[in-house]
Amino acid sequence: MAKIFYLLKQNKAQGSKIYGKWFAHGKTIETLNTRKMATHIAEHGSIYTPDVVFGVLEKFRSCLLEMLLNSKRVKIDGLGIFYTTLENEKGGADQKDDFSPTKNLKALHIRFLPDQEAETNISSREFIKKAEFVNAEALAGQLLESDSPSGSGGGNGGGGSTQPSGDVPGEGD
């Protein structure tokens, strides 16, 4: 099963309704670039070499941007739909004739809507059912204990928990 790493963080915003409560924050352990993803795909029994897969992915990327910039949505079956949204400057234009994209538009965003068809549903409510969640801080503690030369749990007498060194995979992501 897939593993989603998380760290627990406490809300320290004074005056917040949720002050003092603890929440999970996702932690990534690696970012795969196109070349690494192509190699991964090729290793899954593909008849194509990593270079061929890389070429297809790179062409997909450039064509996706081209289609989005031509006001088209792009649906990848089983994955979802890529589309754009506009972000306007605050306040808007006083009159319809006063509107100017260079003056009144702040940003053009690329958005993604996960596929929600029954057999390939990866909406957030279904996607969460496919993951196993692992506390990265607890995992880091286990790694420290297993790296201990004495084998006694990091030299802490075996009774306490070893504190992670801060070298949590993906820290700062």
Side-chain angles (χ1 to χ4, degrees):
M1 181 176 272
K3 292 187 181 354
I4 302 294
F5 294 102
Y6 68 92
L7 290 173
L8 293 175
K9 294 186 180 181
Q10 188 176 32
N11 179 322
K12 298 188 184 225
Q14 295 280 344
S16 170
K17 291 180 182 179
I18 54 173
Y19 176 78
K21 303 290 185 180
W22 290 85
F23 297 89
H25 292 268
K27 297 305 290 177
T28 57
I29 59 170
E30 181 180 8
T31 299
L32 298 179
N33 63 19
T34 309
R35 178 99 29 217
K36 286 182 179 178
M37 190 63 180
T39 300
H40 177 81
I41 292 169
E43 290 171 350
H44 274 271
S46 173
I47 61 170
Y48 302 106
T49 64
D51 286 343
V52 171
V53 176
F54 177 80
V56 171
L57 290 173
E58 194 56 30
K59 183 54 83 175
F60 171 78
R61 182 199 58 79
S62 67
C63 290
L64 172 67
L65 296 177
E66 176 188 357
M67 294 297 104
L68 293 173
L69 288 169
N70 280 295
S71 294
K72 296 181 181 182
R73 290 178 168 220
V74 177
K75 180 178 181 184
I76 307 301
D77 295 332
L79 186 61
I81 300 171
F82 292 90
Y83 62 100
T84 60
T85 59
L86 299 173
E87 182 179 351
N88 289 274
E89 290 287 354
K90 289 184 179 174
D94 292 330
Q95 303 283 325
K96 185 177 183 179
D97 292 340
D98 293 339
F99 183 87
S100 163
T102 55
K103 179 181 168 189
N104 298 103
L105 290 180
K106 185 175 183 177
L108 175 62
H109 299 283
I110 298 175
R111 304 289 190 205
F112 176 75
L113 178 64
D115 194 339
Q116 296 182 29
E117 294 179 17
E119 69 275 2
T120 57
N121 189 339
I122 59 169
S123 64
S124 48
R125 289 188 179 174
E126 290 299 316
F127 202 45
I128 195 171
K129 296 175 185 175
K130 297 176 180 168
E132 174 186 345
F133 294 90
V134 178
N135 185 319
E137 187 174 15
L139 179 64
Q142 290 172 2
L143 293 174
L144 289 174
E145 288 177 11
S146 68
D147 288 342
S148 168
S150 66
S152 66
N156 65 0
S161 66
T162 304
Q163 294 298 313
S165 67
D167 268 353
V168 176
E171 186 68 37
D173 287 346

